[in-house]
Amino acid sequence: MTELVRTGGCLCGGVHFEMQGSLRPVLACHCSQCRKTSGHFWAATEVHRDQIDIFDKGTLRWYRSSDHAQRGFCNRCGASLFWRRVGREEFLSIGAGCIDAPTGLVTRAHIFVDDASDYYEVSPSEAQWAGSPQDFDSEPIAPSNGDEFR
Ligand SMILES: [Zn+2]
Ligand SMILES: [Zn+2]
């Protein structure tokens, strides 16, 4: 099987990345922190750090957005790129919109929908959690066995 490589990056090209293997389906987070950092809601896939190479021209910065999380962004164009949980840095969430299309990804669920703003509707045909889904802290969908998500 040919190994699928996906590419992506920020708006100005200061940060770009290449990912190998299967990616977790997209989770869309509607919490107020994700809304404020993205300007809408934050939709992201996730990879193990071993699956991604990040090429940074010196513009990648990390913001400690809460006790639990850091957010990676480009300090030249302002793109929201990454999210990682403190103490779980071996996994990296990647803003799905930063990945070059076609991504082959699907949105699996919406989380923290109780915090969603009032100007849009969360798609009723996609799974929703009021807060964090039970498996939020679990491993991503098997990186080696995610063909159905390509
Ligand atoms: Zn940039
Ligand atoms: Zn969030």
Side-chain angles (χ1 to χ4, degrees), residues 37-51:
T37 197
S38 68
H40 190 29
F41 57 82
W42 170 248
T45 180
E46 184 178 80
V47 294
H48 192 277
R49 281 298 273 119
D50 292 345
Q51 287 178 263

Side-chain angles (χ1 to χ4, degrees), residues 29-43 71 73 78-81 115-120:
C29 184
H30 299 262
C31 82
S32 61
Q33 291 179 12
C34 285
R35 288 192 285 103
K36 286 182 182 290
T37 197
S38 68
H40 190 29
F41 57 82
W42 170 248
R71 294 173 188 270
F73 65 98
S80 297
L81 294 163
D115 287 346
S117 191
D118 57 2
Y119 66 91
Y120 60 87

Side-chain angles (χ1 to χ4, degrees), residues 10-15 59 74 76-79:
C10 69
L11 181 59
C12 77
V15 183
T59 65
C74 175
R76 186 161 61 190
C77 68

Side-chain angles (χ1 to χ4, degrees), residues 2 8 11 22 28 31 33-35 44 46 49 54 63-64 66 74 92-93 102 109 113 116 130 139 150:
T2 326
L11 181 59
S22 299
C31 82
Q33 291 179 12
C34 285
R35 288 192 285 103
E46 184 178 80
R49 281 298 273 119
I54 299 173
Y63 172 63
R64 181 74 178 256
S66 74
C74 175
L92 190 65
S93 288
V113 295
E139 305 284 301
R150 287 184 176 173

